[in-house]
Amino acid sequence: MTRFDVLTIGNAIVDIIARCDDAFLVHNGIIKSAMNLIDAERAELLYSRMGPALEASGGSAGNTAAGVASLGGRAAYFGKVANDQLGEIFTHDIRAQGVHFETAPLDTHPPTARSMIFVTEDGERSMNTYLGACVELGPGDVEPAVVADAAVTYFEGYLWDPPLAKDAIRDCARIAHENGREVAMTLSDSFCVHRYRAEFLELMRSGTVDIVFANRAEALALYETDDFEHALSMIARDCKLAVVTLSEEGSIIARGSERVKVEATTITNVVDTTGAGDLYAAGFLHGYTTGRTLADCGRLGSLAAGIVIEQIGPRPMVSLAAAAKEAGLL
């Protein structure tokens, strides 16, 4: 038995979510459906142009940790906030979900990260993220005992942007493997893949990462191809286990020559796709760390993603454990 099922590592971000139309995105030079990194000045500009907004703790890996906890799993999280109002909001929210979070906050600048997320009528989200305190996460924030006692350590590809975080992730991978644990990553975003394609492939091919989560666009970007079957065969070759989400077409899980196709959950009302991939990973990892079949892991992922798509914000507002039990998955 381990103390934690899943440890996640990521950018600790408070999301500021508002609705807009496509014209707003064009007028403000925002790339639709992508994560755009911005500086403090642009963050202030976009905030001044937002309509009524909802503040919600986010960050990809933080959302995954919250999802694992909502499913009844034991989750931990490493991420850096500042000792400010948004930092207090983030800390409260993730601990209230039942997640172990003890990363020491910064006492000075930069402030806690925030992401201005614009949701269009089709439910697509366009993120504009000021990383702030996130870039200060480093090896000194690693809790070796937590890494050693987590069945899977999972980190987000977004975290590959801040240089200090790379060292922290490599330290975590070393500790995890020394203790017989596994390491997972999500590719996060096709633009992120374009920036770090060679490094991501090295992490996989060297065995630093065992499990990879990607969507179709990210898998294609990783192998610079338009042929999805080729990308799928390559990612299955390069890591122990690959999980590729396909939006409304469900997902494919690849382990060696094995392929498991999982249907998507039926969505009656797409409200906000923010966090869908994060919650899919939460469901899958909860199933994986509790010994379920790959098909049931995928079904748990689809269920969790489907629930979060039908609400505003990236963290579940209902008990995922109760929903999974009702669906016969737990």
Side-chain angles (χ1 to χ4, degrees), residues 13-31:
I13 299 170
V14 175
D15 294 335
I16 304 170
I17 306 167
R19 293 196 170 277
C20 74
D21 56 22
D22 287 321
F24 179 91
L25 301 182
V26 173
H27 178 72
N28 286 282
I30 297 168
I31 301 172

Side-chain angles (χ1 to χ4, degrees), residues 5-124:
D5 299 314
V6 183
L7 160 67
T8 74
I9 313 170
N11 289 324
I13 299 170
V14 175
D15 294 335
I16 304 170
I17 306 167
R19 293 196 170 277
C20 74
D21 56 22
D22 287 321
F24 179 91
L25 301 182
V26 173
H27 178 72
N28 286 282
I30 297 168
I31 301 172
K32 186 174 181 177
S33 304
M35 195 281 280
N36 309 277
L37 287 177
I38 60 175
D39 59 19
E41 183 178 358
R42 181 156 172 78
E44 290 182 9
L45 174 66
L46 290 179
Y47 185 70
S48 71
R49 295 179 177 178
M50 291 184 92
L54 166 74
E55 289 184 356
S57 295
S60 175
N63 298 336
T64 299
V68 170
S70 183
L71 282 159
R74 300 162 300 162
Y77 177 72
F78 297 165
K80 202 74 167 176
V81 298
N83 191 12
D84 56 20
Q85 184 179 6
L86 290 183
E88 290 173 3
I89 289 171
F90 185 94
T91 299
H92 169 269
D93 287 353
I94 199 162
R95 287 177 177 169
Q97 290 274 0
V99 177
H100 169 94
F101 175 53
E102 296 297 336
T103 307
L106 289 176
D107 284 329
T108 56
H109 286 285
T112 297
R114 69 287 315 267
S115 182
M116 269 67 71
I117 301 178
F118 296 95
V119 182
T120 43
E121 291 179 2
D122 55 6
E124 287 297 313

Side-chain angles (χ1 to χ4, degrees), residues 1-329:
M1 290 291 293
T2 56
R3 182 182 171 199
F4 299 106
D5 299 314
V6 183
L7 160 67
T8 74
I9 313 170
N11 289 324
I13 299 170
V14 175
D15 294 335
I16 304 170
I17 306 167
R19 293 196 170 277
C20 74
D21 56 22
D22 287 321
F24 179 91
L25 301 182
V26 173
H27 178 72
N28 286 282
I30 297 168
I31 301 172
K32 186 174 181 177
S33 304
M35 195 281 280
N36 309 277
L37 287 177
I38 60 175
D39 59 19
E41 183 178 358
R42 181 156 172 78
E44 290 182 9
L45 174 66
L46 290 179
Y47 185 70
S48 71
R49 295 179 177 178
M50 291 184 92
L54 166 74
E55 289 184 356
S57 295
S60 175
N63 298 336
T64 299
V68 170
S70 183
L71 282 159
R74 300 162 300 162
Y77 177 72
F78 297 165
K80 202 74 167 176
V81 298
N83 191 12
D84 56 20
Q85 184 179 6
L86 290 183
E88 290 173 3
I89 289 171
F90 185 94
T91 299
H92 169 269
D93 287 353
I94 199 162
R95 287 177 177 169
Q97 290 274 0
V99 177
H100 169 94
F101 175 53
E102 296 297 336
T103 307
L106 289 176
D107 284 329
T108 56
H109 286 285
T112 297
R114 69 287 315 267
S115 182
M116 269 67 71
I117 301 178
F118 296 95
V119 182
T120 43
E121 291 179 2
D122 55 6
E124 287 297 313
R125 81 283 184 272
S126 306
M127 299 179 289
N128 302 269
T129 305
Y130 168 58
L131 290 175
C134 287
V135 301
E136 302 300 325
L137 181 75
D141 296 304
V142 172
E143 299 169 56
V146 173
V147 182
D149 216 6
V152 174
T153 292
Y154 166 97
F155 69 92
E156 60 186 75
Y158 290 134
L159 198 59
W160 215 246
D161 282 306
L164 283 173
K166 296 183 181 183
D167 294 332
I169 289 168
R170 292 189 184 278
D171 283 351
C172 288
R174 174 184 54 78
I175 295 166
H177 287 140
E178 285 175 354
N179 287 274
R181 314 304 187 193
E182 291 182 298
V183 177
M185 76 173 291
T186 171
L187 298 184
S188 292
D189 188 291
S190 56
F191 290 89
C192 192
V193 174
H194 288 307
R195 287 196 297 274
Y196 300 112
R197 176 178 175 271
E199 291 176 70
F200 286 175
L201 287 171
E202 188 276 332
L203 288 170
M204 296 160 59
R205 292 169 177 171
S206 67
T208 303
V209 167
D210 305 294
I211 304 167
V212 175
F213 290 83
N215 63 26
R216 188 198 302 268
E218 293 155 7
L220 293 174
L222 186 63
Y223 295 101
E224 297 182 316
T225 181
D226 293 326
D227 184 340
F228 177 69
E229 289 302 321
H230 174 68
L232 186 64
S233 66
M234 292 294 290
I235 200 170
R237 184 198 69 178
D238 285 342
C239 60
K240 176 180 174 181
L241 179 65
V243 185
V244 183
T245 56
L246 306 169
S247 299
E248 68 276 3
E249 295 175 29
S251 56
I252 294 180
I253 304 157
R255 181 168 57 187
S257 60
E258 181 183 7
R259 301 287 184 272
V260 178
K261 181 72 169 67
V262 178
E263 297 301 317
T265 297
T266 301
I267 307 297
T268 57
N269 184 27
V270 176
V271 175
D272 177 11
T273 59
T274 308
D278 307 332
L279 270 295
Y280 181 98
F284 187 95
L285 288 170
H286 180 64
Y288 186 76
T289 55
T290 53
R292 287 169 169 78
T293 65
L294 293 181
D296 277 348
C297 292
R299 291 183 187 109
L300 279 166
S302 291
L303 176 75
I307 288 171
V308 83
I309 284 171
E310 293 188 313
Q311 63 168 57
I312 285 285
R315 297 198 180 170
M317 297 179 182
V318 298
S319 167
L320 294 183
K325 286 174 184 174
E326 185 178 345
L329 293 174

